[in-house]
PDB file of all heavy atoms in Angstrom:
ATOM      1  N   LEU A  19     118.829  98.529  90.791  1.00 97.00           N
ATOM      2  CA  LEU A  19     118.697  97.137  91.217  1.00 97.00           C
ATOM      3  C   LEU A  19     117.539  96.965  92.201  1.00 97.00           C
ATOM      4  O   LEU A  19     116.788  95.986  92.127  1.00 97.00           O
ATOM      5  CB  LEU A  19     120.006  96.659  91.847  1.00 97.00           C
ATOM      6  CG  LEU A  19     121.189  96.516  90.877  1.00 97.00           C
ATOM      7  CD1 LEU A  19     122.465  96.178  91.637  1.00 97.00           C
ATOM      8  CD2 LEU A  19     120.907  95.441  89.824  1.00 97.00           C
ATOM      9  N   ALA A  20     117.403  97.935  93.118  1.00 97.00           N
ATOM     10  CA  ALA A  20     116.295  97.872  94.079  1.00 97.00           C
ATOM     11  C   ALA A  20     114.957  97.947  93.364  1.00 97.00           C
ATOM     12  O   ALA A  20     114.003  97.234  93.719  1.00 97.00           O
ATOM     13  CB  ALA A  20     116.425  99.000  95.106  1.00 97.00           C
ATOM     14  N   ALA A  21     114.875  98.807  92.344  1.00 98.00           N
ATOM     15  CA  ALA A  21     113.634  98.930  91.578  1.00 98.00           C
ATOM     16  C   ALA A  21     113.297  97.617  90.881  1.00 98.00           C
ATOM     17  O   ALA A  21     112.134  97.196  90.840  1.00 98.00           O
ATOM     18  CB  ALA A  21     113.760 100.056  90.554  1.00 98.00           C
ATOM     19  N   LYS A  22     114.309  96.945  90.348  1.00 98.00           N
ATOM     20  CA  LYS A  22     114.070  95.667  89.676  1.00 98.00           C
ATOM     21  C   LYS A  22     113.640  94.595  90.672  1.00 98.00           C
ATOM     22  O   LYS A  22     112.727  93.798  90.395  1.00 98.00           O
ATOM     23  CB  LYS A  22     115.329  95.232  88.933  1.00 98.00           C
ATOM     24  CG  LYS A  22     115.512  95.926  87.592  1.00 98.00           C
ATOM     25  CD  LYS A  22     116.745  95.430  86.891  1.00 98.00           C
ATOM     26  CE  LYS A  22     116.773  95.884  85.452  1.00 98.00           C
ATOM     27  NZ  LYS A  22     116.568  97.314  85.251  1.00 98.00           N
ATOM     28  N   VAL A  23     114.303  94.542  91.828  1.00 97.00           N
ATOM     29  CA  VAL A  23     113.936  93.548  92.839  1.00 97.00           C
ATOM     30  C   VAL A  23     112.486  93.745  93.277  1.00 97.00           C
ATOM     31  O   VAL A  23     111.714  92.789  93.378  1.00 97.00           O
ATOM     32  CB  VAL A  23     114.888  93.641  94.047  1.00 97.00           C
ATOM     33  CG1 VAL A  23     114.354  92.796  95.213  1.00 97.00           C
ATOM     34  CG2 VAL A  23     116.281  93.172  93.659  1.00 97.00           C
ATOM     35  N   LEU A  24     112.107  95.008  93.538  1.00 97.00           N
ATOM     36  CA  LEU A  24     110.740  95.291  93.959  1.00 97.00           C
ATOM     37  C   LEU A  24     109.745  94.957  92.852  1.00 97.00           C
ATOM     38  O   LEU A  24     108.668  94.396  93.105  1.00 97.00           O
ATOM     39  CB  LEU A  24     110.612  96.756  94.369  1.00 97.00           C
ATOM     40  CG  LEU A  24     109.251  97.208  94.904  1.00 97.00           C
ATOM     41  CD1 LEU A  24     108.788  96.317  96.051  1.00 97.00           C
ATOM     42  CD2 LEU A  24     109.317  98.669  95.341  1.00 97.00           C
ATOM     43  N   LEU A  25     110.096  95.284  91.615  1.00 97.00           N
ATOM     44  CA  LEU A  25     109.225  94.963  90.477  1.00 97.00           C
ATOM     45  C   LEU A  25     108.981  93.466  90.386  1.00 97.00           C
ATOM     46  O   LEU A  25     107.831  93.011  90.273  1.00 97.00           O
ATOM     47  CB  LEU A  25     109.850  95.482  89.180  1.00 97.00           C
ATOM     48  CG  LEU A  25     109.141  95.064  87.886  1.00 97.00           C
ATOM     49  CD1 LEU A  25     107.771  95.708  87.786  1.00 97.00           C
ATOM     50  CD2 LEU A  25     109.988  95.432  86.667  1.00 97.00           C
ATOM     51  N   PHE A  26     110.046  92.682  90.441  1.00 96.00           N
ATOM     52  CA  PHE A  26     109.882  91.240  90.312  1.00 96.00           C
ATOM     53  C   PHE A  26     109.185  90.643  91.530  1.00 96.00           C
ATOM     54  O   PHE A  26     108.464  89.640  91.392  1.00 96.00           O
ATOM     55  CB  PHE A  26     111.244  90.581  90.068  1.00 96.00           C
ATOM     56  CG  PHE A  26     111.719  90.712  88.652  1.00 96.00           C
ATOM     57  CD1 PHE A  26     112.613  91.708  88.290  1.00 96.00           C
ATOM     58  CD2 PHE A  26     111.239  89.872  87.663  1.00 96.00           C
ATOM     59  CE1 PHE A  26     113.038  91.849  86.980  1.00 96.00           C
ATOM     60  CE2 PHE A  26     111.658  89.993  86.347  1.00 96.00           C
ATOM     61  CZ  PHE A  26     112.562  90.993  85.998  1.00 96.00           C
ATOM     62  N   ALA A  27     109.361  91.248  92.705  1.00 96.00           N
ATOM     63  CA  ALA A  27     108.627  90.783  93.886  1.00 96.00           C
ATOM     64  C   ALA A  27     107.133  91.018  93.714  1.00 96.00           C
ATOM     65  O   ALA A  27     106.312  90.149  94.060  1.00 96.00           O
ATOM     66  CB  ALA A  27     109.143  91.505  95.130  1.00 96.00           C
ATOM     67  N   LEU A  28     106.753  92.171  93.169  1.00 95.00           N
ATOM     68  CA  LEU A  28     105.341  92.452  92.926  1.00 95.00           C
ATOM     69  C   LEU A  28     104.761  91.534  91.864  1.00 95.00           C
ATOM     70  O   LEU A  28     103.618  91.076  91.970  1.00 95.00           O
ATOM     71  CB  LEU A  28     105.174  93.918  92.510  1.00 95.00           C
ATOM     72  CG  LEU A  28     105.372  94.958  93.611  1.00 95.00           C
ATOM     73  CD1 LEU A  28     105.391  96.364  93.014  1.00 95.00           C
ATOM     74  CD2 LEU A  28     104.278  94.844  94.664  1.00 95.00           C
ATOM     75  N   LEU A  29     105.553  91.248  90.830  1.00 94.00           N
ATOM     76  CA  LEU A  29     105.082  90.332  89.788  1.00 94.00           C
ATOM     77  C   LEU A  29     104.904  88.922  90.350  1.00 94.00           C
ATOM     78  O   LEU A  29     103.920  88.237  90.034  1.00 94.00           O
ATOM     79  CB  LEU A  29     106.079  90.309  88.624  1.00 94.00           C
ATOM     80  CG  LEU A  29     106.152  91.588  87.776  1.00 94.00           C
ATOM     81  CD1 LEU A  29     107.338  91.521  86.829  1.00 94.00           C
ATOM     82  CD2 LEU A  29     104.864  91.799  87.004  1.00 94.00           C
ATOM     83  N   LEU A  30     105.841  88.503  91.189  1.00 94.00           N
ATOM     84  CA  LEU A  30     105.728  87.185  91.794  1.00 94.00           C
ATOM     85  C   LEU A  30     104.506  87.107  92.703  1.00 94.00           C
ATOM     86  O   LEU A  30     103.764  86.110  92.684  1.00 94.00           O
ATOM     87  CB  LEU A  30     106.996  86.859  92.582  1.00 94.00           C
ATOM     88  CG  LEU A  30     107.019  85.495  93.292  1.00 94.00           C
ATOM     89  CD1 LEU A  30     106.873  84.363  92.278  1.00 94.00           C
ATOM     90  CD2 LEU A  30     108.313  85.338  94.087  1.00 94.00           C
ATOM     91  N   SER A  31     104.287  88.158  93.471  1.00 93.00           N
ATOM     92  CA  SER A  31     103.119  88.161  94.356  1.00 93.00           C
ATOM     93  C   SER A  31     101.816  88.157  93.554  1.00 93.00           C
ATOM     94  O   SER A  31     100.810  87.598  93.994  1.00 93.00           O
ATOM     95  CB  SER A  31     103.165  89.374  95.285  1.00 93.00           C
ATOM     96  OG  SER A  31     102.963  90.584  94.571  1.00 93.00           O
ATOM     97  N   ALA A  32     101.832  88.779  92.363  1.00 92.00           N
ATOM     98  CA  ALA A  32     100.642  88.764  91.512  1.00 92.00           C
ATOM     99  C   ALA A  32     100.351  87.358  90.990  1.00 92.00           C
ATOM    100  O   ALA A  32      99.197  86.999  90.757  1.00 92.00           O
ATOM    101  CB  ALA A  32     100.819  89.727  90.346  1.00 92.00           C
ATOM    102  N   LEU A  33     101.401  86.559  90.803  1.00 91.00           N
ATOM    103  CA  LEU A  33     101.205  85.169  90.403  1.00 91.00           C
ATOM    104  C   LEU A  33     100.648  84.335  91.552  1.00 91.00           C
ATOM    105  O   LEU A  33      99.792  83.470  91.354  1.00 91.00           O
ATOM    106  CB  LEU A  33     102.534  84.567  89.933  1.00 91.00           C
ATOM    107  CG  LEU A  33     102.999  84.919  88.516  1.00 91.00           C
ATOM    108  CD1 LEU A  33     104.404  84.378  88.290  1.00 91.00           C
ATOM    109  CD2 LEU A  33     102.050  84.358  87.472  1.00 91.00           C
ATOM    110  N   ILE A  34     101.139  84.609  92.762  1.00 92.00           N
ATOM    111  CA  ILE A  34     100.735  83.808  93.917  1.00 92.00           C
ATOM    112  C   ILE A  34      99.365  84.228  94.438  1.00 92.00           C
ATOM    113  O   ILE A  34      98.534  83.384  94.787  1.00 92.00           O
ATOM    114  CB  ILE A  34     101.797  83.936  95.032  1.00 92.00           C
ATOM    115  CG1 ILE A  34     103.143  83.426  94.532  1.00 92.00           C
ATOM    116  CG2 ILE A  34     101.362  83.159  96.275  1.00 92.00           C
ATOM    117  CD1 ILE A  34     104.287  83.663  95.496  1.00 92.00           C
ATOM    118  N   TRP A  35      99.135  85.546  94.501  1.00 92.00           N
ATOM    119  CA  TRP A  35      97.866  86.069  95.014  1.00 92.00           C
ATOM    120  C   TRP A  35      97.234  87.001  93.969  1.00 92.00           C
ATOM    121  O   TRP A  35      97.243  88.225  94.147  1.00 92.00           O
ATOM    122  CB  TRP A  35      98.095  86.837  96.316  1.00 92.00           C
ATOM    123  CG  TRP A  35      98.752  86.019  97.392  1.00 92.00           C
ATOM    124  CD1 TRP A  35      98.193  84.999  98.095  1.00 92.00           C
ATOM    125  CD2 TRP A  35     100.097  86.164  97.886  1.00 92.00           C
ATOM    126  NE1 TRP A  35      99.089  84.493  99.005  1.00 92.00           N
ATOM    127  CE2 TRP A  35     100.258  85.182  98.902  1.00 92.00           C
ATOM    128  CE3 TRP A  35     101.159  87.015  97.574  1.00 92.00           C
ATOM    129  CZ2 TRP A  35     101.458  85.037  99.592  1.00 92.00           C
ATOM    130  CZ3 TRP A  35     102.351  86.874  98.258  1.00 92.00           C
ATOM    131  CH2 TRP A  35     102.488  85.890  99.241  1.00 92.00           C
ATOM    132  N   LEU A  38      94.824  89.924  94.853  1.00 83.00           N
ATOM    133  CA  LEU A  38      95.354  91.070  95.596  1.00 83.00           C
ATOM    134  C   LEU A  38      96.298  91.924  94.767  1.00 83.00           C
ATOM    135  O   LEU A  38      96.831  92.917  95.249  1.00 83.00           O
ATOM    136  CB  LEU A  38      96.097  90.579  96.857  1.00 83.00           C
ATOM    137  CG  LEU A  38      95.286  89.731  97.835  1.00 83.00           C
ATOM    138  CD1 LEU A  38      96.188  89.272  98.981  1.00 83.00           C
ATOM    139  CD2 LEU A  38      94.107  90.523  98.378  1.00 83.00           C
ATOM    140  N   SER A  39      96.508  91.545  93.521  1.00 82.00           N
ATOM    141  CA  SER A  39      97.545  92.193  92.721  1.00 82.00           C
ATOM    142  C   SER A  39      97.160  93.571  92.213  1.00 82.00           C
ATOM    143  O   SER A  39      98.013  94.396  91.919  1.00 82.00           O
ATOM    144  CB  SER A  39      97.902  91.310  91.523  1.00 82.00           C
ATOM    145  OG  SER A  39      96.800  91.236  90.620  1.00 82.00           O
ATOM    146  N   ILE A  41      95.878  93.992  89.357  1.00 86.00           N
ATOM    147  CA  ILE A  41      95.867  93.911  87.891  1.00 86.00           C
ATOM    148  C   ILE A  41      94.953  92.802  87.390  1.00 86.00           C
ATOM    149  O   ILE A  41      94.898  92.548  86.185  1.00 86.00           O
ATOM    150  CB  ILE A  41      97.287  93.704  87.317  1.00 86.00           C
ATOM    151  CG1 ILE A  41      97.925  92.426  87.879  1.00 86.00           C
ATOM    152  CG2 ILE A  41      98.154  94.917  87.596  1.00 86.00           C
ATOM    153  CD1 ILE A  41      99.274  92.102  87.228  1.00 86.00           C
ATOM    154  N   LEU A  50     102.383  90.462  83.151  1.00 92.00           N
ATOM    155  CA  LEU A  50     103.383  89.583  83.743  1.00 92.00           C
ATOM    156  C   LEU A  50     104.460  89.185  82.741  1.00 92.00           C
ATOM    157  O   LEU A  50     105.555  88.777  83.130  1.00 92.00           O
ATOM    158  CB  LEU A  50     102.710  88.332  84.309  1.00 92.00           C
ATOM    159  CG  LEU A  50     101.828  88.561  85.547  1.00 92.00           C
ATOM    160  CD1 LEU A  50     101.051  87.291  85.888  1.00 92.00           C
ATOM    161  CD2 LEU A  50     102.667  89.002  86.734  1.00 92.00           C
ATOM    162  N   PRO A  54     108.491  92.401  82.811  1.00 96.00           N
ATOM    163  CA  PRO A  54     109.880  91.949  82.949  1.00 96.00           C
ATOM    164  C   PRO A  54     110.721  92.232  81.712  1.00 96.00           C
ATOM    165  O   PRO A  54     111.900  92.592  81.825  1.00 96.00           O
ATOM    166  CB  PRO A  54     109.734  90.435  83.182  1.00 96.00           C
ATOM    167  CG  PRO A  54     108.365  90.260  83.699  1.00 96.00           C
ATOM    168  CD  PRO A  54     107.531  91.303  83.023  1.00 96.00           C
ATOM    169  N   LEU A  91     107.497  99.625  87.363  1.00 97.00           N
ATOM    170  CA  LEU A  91     107.334  99.496  88.813  1.00 97.00           C
ATOM    171  C   LEU A  91     106.229 100.407  89.339  1.00 97.00           C
ATOM    172  O   LEU A  91     105.357  99.979  90.109  1.00 97.00           O
ATOM    173  CB  LEU A  91     108.659  99.829  89.502  1.00 97.00           C
ATOM    174  CG  LEU A  91     108.617  99.893  91.037  1.00 97.00           C
ATOM    175  CD1 LEU A  91     108.195  98.563  91.630  1.00 97.00           C
ATOM    176  CD2 LEU A  91     109.979 100.333  91.577  1.00 97.00           C
ATOM    177  N   LEU A  94     102.761  99.179  88.460  1.00 95.00           N
ATOM    178  CA  LEU A  94     102.341  98.059  89.298  1.00 95.00           C
ATOM    179  C   LEU A  94     101.936  98.531  90.694  1.00 95.00           C
ATOM    180  O   LEU A  94     100.938  98.074  91.254  1.00 95.00           O
ATOM    181  CB  LEU A  94     103.464  97.035  89.405  1.00 95.00           C
ATOM    182  CG  LEU A  94     103.512  95.927  88.358  1.00 95.00           C
ATOM    183  CD1 LEU A  94     104.633  94.953  88.676  1.00 95.00           C
ATOM    184  CD2 LEU A  94     102.195  95.196  88.251  1.00 95.00           C
ATOM    185  N   ILE A  95     102.728  99.449  91.262  1.00 96.00           N
ATOM    186  CA  ILE A  95     102.401  99.971  92.591  1.00 96.00           C
ATOM    187  C   ILE A  95     101.065 100.700  92.548  1.00 96.00           C
ATOM    188  O   ILE A  95     100.223 100.552  93.434  1.00 96.00           O
ATOM    189  CB  ILE A  95     103.520 100.897  93.096  1.00 96.00           C
ATOM    190  CG1 ILE A  95     104.790 100.086  93.374  1.00 96.00           C
ATOM    191  CG2 ILE A  95     103.076 101.632  94.365  1.00 96.00           C
ATOM    192  CD1 ILE A  95     105.991 100.935  93.739  1.00 96.00           C
ATOM    193  N   ARG A  98      98.397  98.108  92.445  1.00 94.00           N
ATOM    194  CA  ARG A  98      98.296  97.400  93.723  1.00 94.00           C
ATOM    195  C   ARG A  98      97.556  98.252  94.755  1.00 94.00           C
ATOM    196  O   ARG A  98      96.768  97.728  95.557  1.00 94.00           O
ATOM    197  CB  ARG A  98      99.706  97.045  94.232  1.00 94.00           C
ATOM    198  CG  ARG A  98      99.748  96.425  95.629  1.00 94.00           C
ATOM    199  CD  ARG A  98      98.990  95.120  95.695  1.00 94.00           C
ATOM    200  NE  ARG A  98      99.572  94.079  94.871  1.00 94.00           N
ATOM    201  CZ  ARG A  98     100.534  93.251  95.286  1.00 94.00           C
ATOM    202  NH1 ARG A  98     101.017  93.344  96.495  1.00 94.00           N
ATOM    203  NH2 ARG A  98     100.996  92.328  94.472  1.00 94.00           N
TER     204      ARG A  98
END
Side-chain angles (χ1 to χ4, degrees):
L19 291 174
K22 280 182 168 51
V23 169
L24 183 53
L25 173 67
F26 282 98
L28 288 171
L29 290 170
L30 180 60
S31 69
L33 281 173
I34 299 173
W35 303 289
L38 302 177
S39 67
I41 58 174
L50 291 171
L91 173 61
L94 270 184
I95 292 174
R98 174 61 65 88

